C-alpha cells in the first residue's frame, strides 16, 4: 500500500545512522501507485530524492522535500534456454538476498558481489563492484519511471553508460528516473572469477571451487575488512579510487615505489584511495564522533552522534591532505545530500 508520511526520521534509512528528518516520505508497492501519485503531484517543482537502503547516502542536514522510496518486490524468471536465464527483480529486493538466491539456483555472475548492502534498484546507479566483478556484466536492462513525464522507460545496458562507480543515472539523468525493476541475464557457461586479492588462496581451504564456496570466501574477506553498519555507521568506501593518466602514474610510482597502482589501459591507471589516505596518517583517526576506520582508511565511520556535516568536514580535510601530499583529487563515492 502507498503511504505518505510527514516529518519522518531517516535514521533507519541511512547506514551512517545520521539523525535527519524528511519533510515528506512516500513509499509505494506497485507501479499503479507511483503512476497515480505522480499524476496528482507536480513533484518536479519541489526538492525530491529517490532512496533504496540508504547505504550510499550521507544526509548533511534535514531533507526539506520529498523522499520517494520504491517498495517493489519480486524475483521472477522471465526466460530460460540452454544458454542463459533472464531474471526480473523488484527494486526493493535486498541485493544480498538476491545474490544468495542466484547461488542457490546455480546461476553464476554475481557471487563476487556478495554482502554489498542496499537493494537491487540502486545497483545500476553506481554500477556496484567488488572483487573483480561489476554488476553491469549481468544487467540486461533497467526498468524505470520518468518523474517528469510519468512514463515507463526501459534502458538497455548500453544506454545505462556504465563505468567504474558510474552510470547515466549519476550524470545526465541524475535523480530523474525511479528505477522499478532490474533485468539480469545469467549465462549458463559463465566462468568463475577468483583472481582478485586473496580469493584463490582462501579457496584452497575448500575441496571444491563452486558458487557457494566463492560466496562464503567473499563474505569472510569482507567481514574481516569492512565495518558492519549495524554496529558502526558507515557507507562503505567514502571516495572513489582515483583514475589518473599514465604520466602522472609514472611520476607517482617513481616518488613512492610502494604505491599500489593498477593499470587500466594504455592511457590510464587506478590508484588506491585507501593507501593514499593511510599514508597521510588518517587511518584510525577520530574527530568527535566522526572517524576513519582502523582497518580500511577508505571508510569513514560514525561512532554514534556524528552529524552529516561532521562527516563531510572530516572528508574535506582528508581530501585536502591527499591533494597536498600526492597532488591527487579524491572524488566522493557517497552521495552527499
Ligand atoms: P541508496 O544509498 O539508498 O541510494 C544510492 C543512490 O541510488 C542514490 O543516489 C539514490 O538516489 C539512488 N537510488 C536508490 N534507489 C533508486 C531507485 N530505485 N531509483 C533511482 N535511484 C535510486 N558499493 C560497491 O559498489 N561495492 C562495494 O563493495 C560496496 N561495499 C559496501 C560496504 C558497506 C559496509 C557499505 C555500507 C556500503 C558499500 N557499498 C559498496 C555502497 C552501497 O552498498 C552501494 O552503493 C549500494 O548499491 C547502495 O544501495 P542502496 O539501496 O543502499 O542505495
Ligand atoms: N589499502 C591501504 N590502506 C587501507 C586500505 C587499502 O593501503 O587502509 C590498500 C590495500 O592494501 C590494497 C589497495 O589499497 O593494496 C586496495 O584495497 P582493497 O582491496 O581493500 O580495496 P579498495 O580499493 O580499498 C575497492 C572498492 C570496494 C570493494 C573492494 C573490493 C572502491 C572505491 N572501493 O576498495 O567497494 O569492496 O575494492 O573489490 O572502488 C564501496 O564501493 O563502498 C566498496 C567498499
Amino acid at each position: 500500500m502507498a503511504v505518505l508520511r510527514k516529518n519522518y526520521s531517516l535514521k533507519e534509512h541511512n547506514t551512517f545512522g545520521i539523525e535527519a528528518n524528511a519533510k515528506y516520505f512516500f513509499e509505494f508497492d506497485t507501479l499503479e501507485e507511483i503512476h497515480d501519485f505522480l499524476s496528482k503531484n507536480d513533484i518536479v517543482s519541489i526538492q525530491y530524492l529517490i532512496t533504496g537502503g540508504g547505504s550510499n547516502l550521507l544526509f548533511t542536514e534535514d531533507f526539506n522535500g520529498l523522499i520517494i522510496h520504491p517498495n517493489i518486490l519480486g524475483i521472477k524468471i522471465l526466460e530460460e534456454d540452454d544458454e542463459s536465464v533472464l531474471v526480473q527483480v523488484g527494486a526493493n529486493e535486498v541485493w544480498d538476498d538476491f545474490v544468495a538466491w542466484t547461488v542457490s539456483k546455480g546461476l553464476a555472475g554475481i557471487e563476487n558481489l556478495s554482502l554489498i548492502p542496499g537493494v537491487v534498484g540502486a545497483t545500476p546507479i553506481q554500477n556496484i563492484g567488488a572483487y573483480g566483478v561489476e554488476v553491469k556484466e549481468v544487467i540486461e536492462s533497467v526498468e524505470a519511471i520518468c518523474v517528469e513525464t510519468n512514463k515507463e522507460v526501459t534502458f538497455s545496458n548500453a544506454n545505462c553508460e556504465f563505468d567504474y562507480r558510474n552510470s547515466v543515472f549519476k550524470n545526465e539523468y541524475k535523480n530523474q528516473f525511479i528505477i522499478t525493476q532490474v533485468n539480469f541475464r545469467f549465462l549458463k557457461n559463465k566462468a568463475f572469477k577468483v583472481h582478485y586479492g586473496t580469493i584463490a588462496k582462501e579457496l584452497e581451504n575448500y575441496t571444491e571451487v563452486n558458487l557457494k564456496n566463492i560466496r562464503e570466501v567473499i563474505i569472510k574477506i569482507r567481514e574481516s575488512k569492512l565495518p558492519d553498519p549495524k554496529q558502526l555507521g558507515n557507507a562503505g568506501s567514502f571516495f572513489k579510487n582515483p583514475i589518473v593518466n599514465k604520466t602522472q602514474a609514472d611520476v607517482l610510482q617513481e616518488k613512492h615505489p610502494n604505491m599500489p597502482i593498477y593499470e587500466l589501459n594504455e592511457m590510464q591507471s587506478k590508484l588506491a584511495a585507501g593507501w593514499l589516505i593511510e599514508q597521510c596518517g588518517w587511518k584510525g583517526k577520530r574527530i568527535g564522533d566522526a572517524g576513519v576506520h582502523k582497518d580500511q582508511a577508505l571508510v569513514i565511520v560514525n561512532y554514534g552522534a556524528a552529524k552529516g556535516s561532521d562527516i563531510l568536514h572530516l572528508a574535506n580535510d582528508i581530501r585536502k591532505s591527499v591533494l597536498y601530499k600526492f597532488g591527487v583529487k579524491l572524488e566522493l563515492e557517497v552521495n552527499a545530500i
Side-chain angles (χ1 to χ4, degrees):
M1 199 182 68
V3 185
L4 178 65
R5 302 170 206 274
K6 227 181 146 183
N7 296 326
Y8 186 66
S9 168
L10 298 171
K11 194 171 160 76
E12 299 297 321
H13 290 271
N14 74 100
T15 59
F16 257 121
I18 301 286
E19 287 278 9
N21 281 333
K23 190 161 181 194
Y24 299 104
F25 188 94
F26 178 69
E27 300 184 60
F28 63 93
D29 296 341
T30 64
L31 295 183
E32 292 72 35
E33 287 168 353
I34 184 65
H35 280 309
D36 185 53
F37 183 79
L38 292 176
S39 69
K40 292 179 181 151
N41 298 280
D42 176 25
I43 69 165
V44 180
S45 58
I46 60 167
Q47 190 191 13
Y48 67 91
L49 175 74
I50 306 145
T51 64
S55 63
N56 211 23
L57 295 176
L58 176 68
F59 290 105
T60 56
E61 52 188 26
D62 283 338
F63 190 73
N64 194 25
L66 168 74
I67 302 252
I68 302 173
H69 181 71
N71 261 339
I72 296 175
L73 295 173
I75 300 179
K76 197 161 108 195
I77 295 178
L78 295 184
E79 269 173 41
E80 176 163 10
D81 59 24
D82 292 347
E83 285 169 12
S84 70
V85 182
L86 182 65
V87 188
Q88 181 170 73
V89 188
N92 205 37
E93 287 289 343
V94 171
W95 171 254
D96 194 49
D97 292 350
F98 175 53
V99 177
W101 181 89
T102 61
V103 168
S104 75
K105 297 278 180 214
L107 300 174
I110 52 175
E111 57 284 358
N112 291 34
L113 304 180
S114 288
L115 211 67
I116 296 181
V119 298
V120 166
T123 60
I125 305 289
Q126 72 158 6
N127 175 27
I128 59 165
Y131 299 94
V133 172
E134 288 182 322
V135 74
K136 71 171 186 187
E137 294 164 40
V138 292
I139 290 182
E140 169 103 346
S141 57
V142 171
E143 316 265 359
I145 292 179
C146 175
V147 173
E148 196 175 344
T149 63
N150 199 3
K151 293 244 162 67
E152 291 179 24
V153 182
T154 301
F155 290 87
S156 67
N157 180 299
N159 288 342
C160 293
E161 298 178 12
F162 291 123
D163 204 345
Y164 164 66
R165 295 297 190 272
N166 213 350
S167 74
V168 75
F169 306 109
K170 287 192 87 171
N171 296 292
E172 200 185 332
Y173 295 144
K174 193 175 161 79
N175 214 24
Q176 288 178 40
F177 288 89
I178 303 167
I179 294 176
T180 52
Q181 277 138 330
V182 183
N183 299 319
F184 298 91
R185 188 172 293 279
F186 298 99
L187 298 178
K188 289 193 173 167
N189 65 354
K190 183 98 179 156
F192 302 138
K193 284 197 185 169
V194 296
H195 61 278
Y196 191 101
T198 55
I199 305 176
K201 188 154 181 11
E202 290 282 343
L203 280 166
E204 285 169 12
N205 299 321
Y206 293 79
T207 49
E208 200 191 330
V209 176
N210 60 28
L211 286 176
K212 188 174 154 287
N213 294 343
I214 296 173
R215 173 165 163 82
E216 219 172 278
V217 161
I218 297 285
I219 289 176
K220 190 173 156 209
I221 297 173
R222 291 182 68 96
E223 283 178 342
S224 73
K225 286 191 188 179
L226 292 163
D228 176 356
K230 287 196 192 94
Q231 321 219 310
L232 191 59
N234 76 90
S237 302
F238 199 89
F239 303 100
K240 293 184 190 178
N241 283 327
I243 294 172
V244 297
N245 67 40
K246 213 74 200 3
T247 318
Q248 193 181 358
D250 290 345
V251 171
L252 284 167
Q253 192 77 92
E254 205 171 312
K255 265 200 197 158
H256 311 278
N258 297 327
M259 180 184 282
I261 300 184
Y262 312 95
E263 197 176 294
L264 290 179
N265 51 50
E266 279 177 12
M267 314 283 285
Q268 294 174 308
S269 297
K270 199 192 265 181
L271 310 180
W275 188 90
L276 300 173
I277 296 167
E278 180 173 350
Q279 296 301 309
C280 291
W282 286 104
K283 199 167 182 169
K285 275 237 170 108
R286 175 172 175 170
I287 295 165
D289 263 0
V292 177
H293 192 244
K294 62 176 179 37
D295 300 324
Q296 215 328 344
L298 195 43
V299 178
I300 299 188
V301 297
N302 173 12
Y303 283 100
K307 295 203 221 65
S309 53
D310 300 331
I311 303 276
L312 207 53
H313 200 264
L314 173 61
N316 282 335
D317 286 347
I318 292 171
R319 288 171 100 174
K320 273 186 218 152
S321 64
V322 168
L323 184 62
Y324 183 74
K325 189 171 168 85
F326 296 105
V328 174
K329 275 191 187 155
L330 293 182
E331 211 183 297
L332 295 200
E333 191 211 80
V334 164
N335 301 280
I337 311 294

